[in-house]
Amino acid sequence: MLKEIFMSGDQVVSPEVAAYFIKVLGFYPPGMLLQLANDEVEFVLQCGEKADTPIVLACTKIGDYNYQQPIESDTSQKDC
């Protein structure tokens, strides 16, 4: 996760560069896979309204089934 890389004590990049990347990509960059609290495995499409609320595609639900069609979701919504 970008937040962990850029906010670690071992500063590899300047705070300005880190802030820029987080602003543009969010904490979860496009292409990353996430498991949400609802047990869905999601593919990050893009940064959402906030850095920690990406727009995602639900692919599968752990212990349940694979979706026939990916379902786009905004993680800033309560049901995510």
Side-chain angles (χ1 to χ4, degrees):
M1 179 165 55
L2 285 179
K3 180 181 178 183
E4 292 171 352
I5 293 169
F6 293 138
M7 303 298 187
S8 72
D10 303 328
Q11 232 176 0
V12 179
V13 298
S14 71
E16 294 82 17
V17 172
Y20 176 77
F21 273 98
I22 290 172
K23 179 180 177 185
V24 172
L25 298 173
F27 292 145
Y28 309 99
M32 182 176 226
L33 289 175
L34 303 174
Q35 181 178 346
L36 300 185
N38 66 4
D39 284 336
E40 285 182 330
V41 175
E42 315 253 344
F43 177 83
V44 177
L45 288 177
Q46 64 188 44
C47 184
E49 192 173 312
K50 295 181 184 177
D52 62 346
T53 58
I55 306 299
V56 296
L57 282 178
C59 305
T60 187
K61 191 160 187 168
I62 302 288
D64 227 352
Y65 53 88
N66 293 331
Y67 299 129
Q68 288 184 343
Q69 293 286 338
I71 302 167
E72 187 172 323
S73 300
D74 180 348
T75 59
S76 67
Q77 302 301 309
K78 280 191 171 203
D79 60 337
C80 284

